[in-house]
Each structure stands twice: as structure tokens, then as C-alpha cells.
Amino acid sequence: MKNDTVRTRLRGIGGLIRYTESFTKEALPSFEFETHIHPSEIEVYLFSEGDLFFVFEDKRIAVEEGMVIIICNDTHHRPIIKKPCRYARTHLFLSRKAMVDCDPQNLELYKRISKKRLLAIPPQRARDMGAAEIFDEIKGYLMQNDSYGEFCATVTAISLLIRGDKLCENDEATAFCPFNDRISEIMAWIGDNLGEDINYRTVSEKFHISPKYLYKFFKKEVGITLSRYVLERRIIKAKSVLNAGGSAGEAALSAGFDDYSVFYRCFLREVGMTPTAYIKQLGG
């Protein structure tokens, strides 16, 4: 896949804002685009080409060309290719620090977007707000490769977030695409039983399907393996406990980790920081 992907990368000299253009000549449904999060950055995608779903946590959106998606920090997300296609996108990463350093009042904007988790702006609305032109403007500022260019890029990116937040303020019409009914059942059961031992055998017995069929069916529909999905849901559950003021130990137990050392390692790998560091960040 790497040989098929061409990227243009730009970064502010302080490293607090990043801009990337990339395309995959022939993205296939089997491509393993990793589920990932950005612990302290808001990510903004502008999709140019491709036939895909965009999955975040336990929901998915059918992507249309020209759509803009704004993803808050620490939200698990990934693309899932529906059929072979050329997959082109531009994305922007803006750190919490860049926003607050620019103006402390931006912390409220950061909190608003974080509360919404993900904002999906349909193509026509994205065109109306001039999203493509704003991305080009940010690119131009970053190409100056100086502190003033980084400042201008940051201010322009913040204006993009303000417009996106405003557009989605009272809009509940985001076109989430439902999963297959059986898969939805399985996903709901997993969410309600994270404290149990969940694996292919237990799920197969619960829903009366063979482990082999479950493996193929689940991965085709959700885009990742069942074991990977369970881990992600456990991390999401743990973060929700920490966000509510719970301790790391409480988060581990609530998410179904009997061994704290396993929880610690998984959390560090998935979130990019230890549970203690995550709690400390919440206080800031």
C-alpha cells in the first residue's frame, strides 16, 4: 500500500499544526487502514475521491466526495473501503495547545467539538463554507515555513472549526449507515457485556453461528476483527470512566480488564499515554 500512496506533508515550525495530502491509486476492501486516535489533536478530513465508509467508535458514515469530517481528540476512527477505488483525501491536524495559545477562549470551541465527538459536513454545505479554499489557504501559509505562517494557518484552521461547529449546531441529520441487523445485535451485546470473557467461541455460542463464519462476516461488515473491536470498545469504556472522574483501577475493571498490567499496556498502546497521564490531561 505504501508504494501506491503519495503524500504532501507540511508542518508548522512549532509542530502544533500539520497538513497532509494523500491518495491511494487502488485502495482495496482488504486494505488494513488502522483504527487510530489522536490524543490531543482535532483532525479534519476533506474527502476528494473514493468509495468508502468512515467508521468511528460504533457508528459509520458513507463518505461522499467533497464531504468534510471533523474528529475530536481521542476518538477511534478509520476508513473502510467498500470497493476498489482511487482514494484521495486531505487532512489537517490542529493541537489543543495551538488553539489555546492562539487565544484562551478557543478552549470553549475545543470542548464543544470534543463533546460532539464527530462532525460530518455534507458536500454541498462544505462547498458553501468554502472548505476546499480554506484548506488551500492553510497549505499556502504553512509553505511559508515561518512563525507568522504557522500563526496564520492556525487562525484559518480555527475559523474552519468554528464554521463547522456552527453548521452542525442544531443538525441531527448526519447520515449514519446502519450495520447489518445481526452485526448490530452482536455489537450491542458486546457493549453491554464488556466485563465478560468475549471471544469468537463465546459470541458464536451466544448467536448460534460458527466461529469461522463469524470471523468473515464480522470483519467484512465492521472492517476489523471481532477481537480488535472488543479491545477498542474496552478502551472507549475505560476512557469514559476516567472522563467521569473514576480511577485507573475502576476504569480497568469496568472495561473488562482483570489484570491491571494488561490494561496499562493496552491503554498506553492505543491511546498513546498512560492512564495516569490521561487523567492528568483531563485536569488541564
Side-chain angles (χ1 to χ4, degrees):
M1 185 179 74
K2 289 181 179 178
N3 291 334
D4 290 336
T5 302
V6 177
R7 290 188 172 92
T8 299
R9 290 193 180 95
L10 296 168
R11 176 189 292 265
I13 62 171
L16 300 179
I17 180 170
R18 298 182 287 134
Y19 174 98
T20 304
E21 294 174 358
S22 53
F23 74 88
T24 306
K25 293 179 182 177
E26 189 177 10
L28 303 173
S30 60
F31 273 178
E32 290 292 336
F33 290 105
E34 292 184 357
T35 303
H36 59 286
I37 63 174
H38 302 283
S40 58
E41 291 178 310
I42 288 176
E43 184 173 9
V44 188
Y45 274 88
L46 172 61
F47 292 94
S48 304
E49 298 179 64
D51 189 0
L52 63 146
F53 289 116
F54 195 80
V55 175
F56 75 104
E57 300 186 349
D58 61 345
K59 298 181 176 67
R60 67 180 183 177
I61 297 170
V63 173
E64 301 175 73
E65 294 178 8
M67 175 178 275
V68 170
I69 294 181
I70 300 172
I71 311 151
C72 84
N73 62 304
D74 74 20
T75 298
H76 284 79
H77 58 280
R78 63 170 284 168
I80 296 179
I81 304 300
K82 292 160 62 178
K83 64 182 182 182
C85 63
R86 175 183 160 100
Y87 172 35
R89 63 277 187 197
T90 303
H91 43 146
L92 174 71
F93 305 87
L94 184 64
S95 73
R96 177 181 184 274
K97 187 176 188 304
M99 294 177 69
V100 177
D101 284 356
C102 185
D103 186 337
Q105 294 302 316
N106 288 327
L107 183 58
E108 184 59 32
L109 173 63
Y110 189 87
K111 289 178 178 177
R112 285 172 63 91
I113 294 174
S114 294
K115 186 175 181 180
K116 292 175 181 175
R117 309 299 297 163
L118 180 142
L119 288 68
I121 303 170
Q124 186 56 55
R125 288 191 180 184
R127 285 191 288 272
D128 291 344
M129 66 185 278
E133 291 77 15
I134 294 173
F135 268 83
D136 285 342
E137 192 174 343
I138 291 168
K139 178 181 179 181
Y141 285 133
L142 290 177
M143 288 179 69
Q144 293 178 199
N145 197 33
D146 58 22
S147 59
Y148 182 67
E150 181 175 46
F151 169 75
C152 292
T154 299
V155 172
T156 306
I158 291 169
S159 74
L160 173 64
L161 296 179
I162 291 171
R163 295 184 197 187
D165 178 62
K166 184 66 176 177
L167 275 176
C168 299
E169 193 167 26
N170 299 308
D171 187 5
E172 298 180 357
T174 300
F176 296 121
C177 304
F179 289 94
N180 172 283
D181 289 345
R182 181 44 92 65
I183 288 294
S184 294
E185 257 187 278
I186 293 172
M187 293 167 75
W189 182 83
I190 289 171
D192 292 337
N193 294 274
L194 290 174
E196 304 296 324
D197 180 17
I198 303 175
N199 52 49
Y200 283 102
R201 179 183 59 78
T202 56
V203 176
S204 296
E205 290 176 356
K206 172 70 179 177
F207 291 91
H208 309 291
I209 50 181
S210 75
K212 185 176 180 180
Y213 178 75
L214 174 61
Y215 177 86
K216 292 181 178 179
F217 182 47
F218 193 93
K219 188 170 183 183
K220 179 181 178 182
E221 183 71 10
V222 183
I224 53 176
T225 63
L226 182 140
S227 54
R228 175 70 197 175
Y229 177 76
V230 171
L231 174 60
E232 290 181 7
R233 289 299 297 271
R234 284 183 165 146
I235 295 298
I236 291 166
K237 174 66 175 180
K239 288 193 297 181
S240 71
V241 173
L242 296 177
N243 291 341
S247 68
E250 290 169 338
L253 289 175
S254 295
F257 291 93
D258 295 328
D259 186 331
Y260 183 80
S261 64
V262 172
F263 167 66
Y264 181 95
R265 290 196 299 272
C266 289
F267 194 94
L268 177 60
R269 183 178 67 245
E270 298 297 316
V271 181
M273 65 180 72
T274 67
T276 303
Y278 185 85
I279 293 171
K280 189 176 293 186
Q281 176 187 262
L282 292 174

